[in-house]
Amino acid sequence: MGQEFGGPLDFATVLHRMRPDLQRVEDRLLEETALEFPLIGDILRTLILAGGKRLRPLLLLLAAKPFRYDLDRLVPAAAGIELLHTASLIHDDSLDGASVRRGQPTLNALFDPSVVIMVGDYMFARSAMLAASTMNPRVLAVFAHCLGSICDGQLRELFAARRTDVSLDDYQHRIYGKTASLFAGSAEIGAILAEAPDDQIELLRDFGGAMGMAFQIVDDVLDFRATENEIGKPAGQDLRQGTVTLPILLFFQNGKATSEERAFVEQVIAEGAPDDDALARALQLIRTSGALEEALDYARRYVEDAKALLAGLPPTEGRDMLAAVADHALARRL
Amino acid sequence: MGQEFGGPLDFATVLHRMRPDLQRVEDRLLEETALEFPLIGDILRTLILAGGKRLRPLLLLLAAKPFRYDLDRLVPAAAGIELLHTASLIHDDSLDGASVRRGQPTLNALFDPSVVIMVGDYMFARSAMLAASTMNPRVLAVFAHCLGSICDGQLRELFAARRTDVSLDDYQHRIYGKTASLFAGSAEIGAILAEAPDDQIELLRDFGGAMGMAFQIVDDVLDFRATENEIGKPAGQDLRQGTVTLPILLFFQNGKATSEERAFVEQVIAEGAPDDDALARALQLIRTSGALEEALDYARRYVEDAKALLAGLPPTEGRDMLAAVADHALARRL
């Protein structure tokens, strides 16, 4: 266990200390690809290895750390959560279609979309089986709830496309489902499997949820800030697809733009940009309106809320690590 | 329990006798749609209600009937199997794209493909959770194996498109994965949950597998025989997509066609039909070559094999019902 009064940690240190435990999750994920069906196994391996920083498994493990930290129980659940995330990302990408494919070589460029959809299906079902292998009904219930939330959030996003009458409440509801719910569920499952007291399970779920909200808001800001090279996909994707995210919402509301400028961006969202110049102009209007900074303030407040919750946990190394992970939500390539 | 020496039953009688039990599966499936997320629930209800005869749940229940027949244990597993089947059908349809949409109003016509894919994802994961709710590791292992087989079979079909060098062995391997494995798994899971002896579990799995092979061969023959109205989709779909099924394979091999005719059909498969007339000519060449009748002989042999296996079961009403279900594989709208 840890330094009782540890100072602030940085994310790289957390990753370094957790590397052996995360490696076990990685090994468990790769076990999923060692199948008697070589066709699926090969494709699955490519899809899984293309994955990111394993933030959700990390969160699940760290939520368990202040309590009964038993890797044998935690690893299958962490692998299940990551597999669900990867599957959902893959299907999301293949549905996004052309604009994503214009970016760096994505999986859609490597495989026929049908192949990606089918292997994604396999991953969805396997993820649920991994969660089920904990044989813990409460874990299964949380997993089921996450699954419903993600699907609900993604449907909301689909139905919200090209609509400009999106409220802050709609936006928060949608990104909670699409993104924050799985962060919340990861922390909750870690705490349940570590036999944390009920109030601390709830606290860790709320921590994960708040951190997940910050994570998605930063993602939505990055879509305006980054160049294609930085985030590996073309900038302005949300605007191009007509999805109103927090920066766009704040652009409409903060009173910095003229009514002609607002009308112009509204039209790009509702009807699509007639050409690349129009898209670039809309992006530039939003970038210079102060909306990105205001959106980041929202993300910062979520991270502060998340970290404030940690005061209710035992003062352990795990707690310090959770704080570092929450801070990381803000630090990503900004 | 039943008549010890029952005479042959017909499928309608089986359906009639099993109606209350199948209704419980139906209710369990609809329970899956009563969610706190109304968006998913509504779409899910439409997708589930569009389903067919519930052949796989029927097989699962009937495989349990000669043993310890406990509906409380069987119903969640039967619902899980049907949900897996429905999800896989839905994704298969949305991948087939245009040619399917030209048929009767499909789900693709009712919903945006992205919506169907997402709700299908949800169904894949929920199906695994239903299977897991049996808390029976052996059932979970069979379910996992079915899932792998289906995905493997569908990938083989994708990779086989526009290839004419398909052997009988390739074809059987592919349809076992795509279709027969889930029939085999349904019967196996029913027998496991009913605590049948191991040799009878194996027997029932083989019965389901043989019946499933017949079922898919008949399906592949129907694709040549039926008019659009009879099977609810345009005839000649397989030929159009360049998928070599048993009738096409036998057309190439049975020596009834001239080498010019064979070359013509080969070209349609490898390069696609240049127009509707070419497709119609290829269809007609196969129809008049005797290949459909020969393919049905294969199906008949599978059904005979399946029924011969039943001799190893206790002589119960369940056994007679299984025989009637096997016969039904041949009787579908021919």
Side-chain angles (χ1 to χ4, degrees):
Chain A
M1 283 298 153
Q3 0 150 220
E4 285 258 313
F5 303 97
L9 290 170
D10 67 8
F11 186 68
T13 307
V14 174
L15 276 186
H16 180 73
R17 290 199 192 157
M18 294 298 290
R19 191 169 298 151
D21 299 7
L22 283 173
Q23 188 56 48
R24 287 202 41 195
V25 178
E26 207 63 26
D27 293 344
R28 187 66 192 78
L29 279 169
L30 284 175
E31 250 179 58
E32 287 293 299
T33 70
L35 289 164
E36 62 178 301
F37 308 106
L39 269 181
I40 313 172
D42 288 348
I43 300 166
L44 204 54
R45 204 165 302 120
T46 312
L47 299 179
I48 287 177
L49 291 176
K53 290 213 197 72
R54 314 303 189 201
L55 265 187
R56 292 152 195 82
L58 177 64
L59 186 57
L60 187 150
L61 296 179
L62 291 180
K65 234 173 170 359
F67 309 102
R68 192 169 159 250
Y69 188 70
D70 174 359
L71 274 179
D72 290 342
R73 299 177 76 181
L74 296 166
V75 163
I81 288 278
E82 184 66 12
L83 202 58
L84 176 63
H85 168 62
T86 311
S88 125
L89 216 64
I90 285 166
H91 275 187
D92 215 26
D93 277 359
S94 35
L95 294 174
D96 273 357
S99 61
V100 175
R101 267 171 248 167
R102 285 206 297 267
Q104 64 178 44
T106 65
L107 296 166
N108 294 304
L110 290 173
F111 300 112
D112 183 275
S114 316
V115 171
V116 176
I117 300 262
M118 265 169 207
V119 181
D121 292 346
Y122 180 82
M123 292 166 79
F124 269 100
R126 289 298 302 194
S127 74
M129 299 181 84
L130 273 166
S133 74
T134 62
M135 291 287 173
N136 183 316
R138 198 163 163 191
V139 167
L140 215 60
V142 174
F143 189 89
H145 188 264
C146 283
L147 182 65
S149 289
I150 294 171
C151 186
D152 184 65
Q154 287 180 326
L155 287 176
R156 278 172 196 276
E157 184 168 308
L158 278 176
F159 291 142
R162 306 258 162 255
R163 296 188 63 137
T164 54
D165 59 341
V166 175
S167 71
L168 182 60
D169 205 52
D170 294 334
Y171 170 76
Q172 286 172 319
H173 198 139
R174 188 220 298 160
I175 70 168
Y176 187 87
K178 183 184 139 181
T179 304
S181 64
L182 196 58
F183 282 89
S186 300
E188 189 175 4
I189 288 173
I192 291 170
L193 288 172
E195 296 166 19
D198 276 356
D199 63 323
Q200 313 238 317
I201 293 174
E202 206 176 307
L203 180 159
L204 280 159
R205 182 194 63 213
D206 293 346
F207 170 85
M211 185 197 144
M213 293 296 284
F215 187 88
Q216 184 59 52
I217 291 172
V218 170
D219 223 52
D220 291 342
V221 171
L222 277 171
D223 190 49
F224 285 91
R225 281 225 174 146
T227 64
E228 181 162 339
N229 279 346
E230 282 167 334
I231 54 170
K233 56 182 181 179
Q237 184 112 292
D238 293 324
L239 200 58
R240 192 178 282 119
Q241 294 179 344
T243 305
V244 171
T245 57
L246 188 56
I248 305 177
L249 225 140
L250 293 169
F251 166 81
F252 286 139
Q253 291 178 358
N254 72 5
K256 300 280 170 59
T258 66
S259 61
E260 184 274 326
E261 289 167 342
R262 280 200 302 275
F264 176 75
V265 173
E266 265 190 27
Q267 198 184 345
V268 164
I269 289 163
E271 293 161 30
D275 54 39
D276 283 353
D277 284 349
L279 188 76
R281 187 188 166 212
L283 279 170
Q284 195 55 22
L285 284 172
I286 295 164
R287 280 185 190 125
T288 54
S289 72
L292 304 191
E293 292 69 25
E294 288 173 43
L296 286 178
D297 284 338
Y298 275 87
R300 260 179 227 114
R301 279 196 291 275
Y302 275 115
V303 168
E304 288 314 313
D305 289 351
K307 284 162 68 181
L309 285 165
L310 295 179
L313 286 185
T316 53
E317 187 194 23
R319 188 175 83 169
D320 296 339
M321 287 184 167
L322 285 167
V325 172
D327 279 331
H328 175 68
L330 293 174
R332 293 180 306 139
R333 288 167 295 193
L334 278 175
Chain B
M1 285 299 157
Q3 356 149 223
E4 286 256 316
F5 304 95
L9 289 170
D10 67 7
F11 187 68
T13 308
V14 174
L15 275 187
H16 179 74
R17 289 197 194 160
M18 293 299 289
R19 191 169 301 153
D21 299 6
L22 283 172
Q23 188 56 48
R24 287 205 38 198
V25 178
E26 206 63 24
D27 293 344
R28 187 65 192 80
L29 279 169
L30 285 175
E31 249 177 60
E32 286 293 300
T33 70
L35 291 165
E36 61 178 302
F37 309 105
L39 269 180
I40 314 171
D42 288 348
I43 300 167
L44 204 54
R45 205 166 300 118
T46 311
L47 299 178
I48 287 176
L49 291 175
K53 289 214 196 71
R54 313 303 190 202
L55 264 187
R56 292 154 195 82
L58 177 63
L59 186 57
L60 187 150
L61 296 179
L62 291 179
K65 236 174 167 0
F67 309 101
R68 192 169 159 249
Y69 188 71
D70 174 358
L71 275 180
D72 289 343
R73 298 177 77 179
L74 297 166
V75 163
I81 287 280
E82 183 67 12
L83 203 58
L84 177 62
H85 167 63
T86 311
S88 124
L89 215 63
I90 285 168
H91 275 188
D92 214 25
D93 277 359
S94 33
L95 294 175
D96 273 356
S99 61
V100 175
R101 268 170 246 166
R102 284 207 296 268
Q104 64 178 43
T106 63
L107 295 168
N108 293 305
L110 289 173
F111 299 112
D112 183 274
S114 316
V115 171
V116 176
I117 300 263
M118 265 170 208
V119 180
D121 293 344
Y122 181 83
M123 291 166 79
F124 269 100
R126 289 298 301 190
S127 73
M129 299 181 85
L130 274 165
S133 75
T134 62
M135 292 287 173
N136 183 317
R138 197 164 166 190
V139 167
L140 216 58
V142 174
F143 189 88
H145 189 264
C146 283
L147 183 64
S149 291
I150 293 171
C151 187
D152 183 65
Q154 287 180 328
L155 288 177
R156 279 173 194 275
E157 184 169 307
L158 277 177
F159 292 142
R162 305 258 163 255
R163 296 188 62 135
T164 54
D165 58 342
V166 174
S167 71
L168 182 59
D169 205 51
D170 293 335
Y171 170 77
Q172 285 172 320
H173 199 140
R174 187 219 300 160
I175 70 167
Y176 187 86
K178 182 185 140 180
T179 304
S181 64
L182 196 57
F183 281 90
S186 301
E188 189 175 5
I189 288 174
I192 291 169
L193 288 173
E195 295 165 19
D198 276 355
D199 63 323
Q200 313 239 316
I201 292 174
E202 206 177 308
L203 180 159
L204 280 159
R205 183 195 61 211
D206 293 345
F207 169 85
M211 184 196 145
M213 293 296 284
F215 187 88
Q216 185 58 51
I217 291 172
V218 170
D219 224 51
D220 291 343
V221 171
L222 277 172
D223 190 49
F224 285 90
R225 281 226 175 145
T227 64
E228 181 162 338
N229 280 346
E230 281 168 333
I231 52 169
K233 57 181 181 179
Q237 184 110 290
D238 292 325
L239 199 58
R240 192 178 284 118
Q241 295 180 345
T243 305
V244 170
T245 58
L246 188 55
I248 304 177
L249 225 141
L250 294 169
F251 165 81
F252 286 138
Q253 292 178 355
N254 73 6
K256 300 282 171 55
T258 66
S259 62
E260 184 275 325
E261 288 168 341
R262 278 201 301 277
F264 176 75
V265 172
E266 264 189 27
Q267 198 182 347
V268 164
I269 289 163
E271 294 161 27
D275 54 40
D276 284 354
D277 284 349
L279 188 78
R281 188 185 165 215
L283 279 170
Q284 194 55 22
L285 284 172
I286 294 163
R287 279 187 192 121
T288 54
S289 71
L292 304 191
E293 292 70 23
E294 288 174 43
L296 286 177
D297 284 339
Y298 276 85
R300 258 178 229 115
R301 280 196 290 275
Y302 274 115
V303 168
E304 288 316 314
D305 289 350
K307 284 162 70 179
L309 286 165
L310 294 179
L313 285 186
T316 53
E317 187 194 24
R319 189 176 81 169
D320 297 338
M321 287 182 167
L322 284 168
V325 172
D327 280 331
H328 175 68
L330 294 174
R332 293 177 309 138
R333 287 166 300 190
L334 278 175

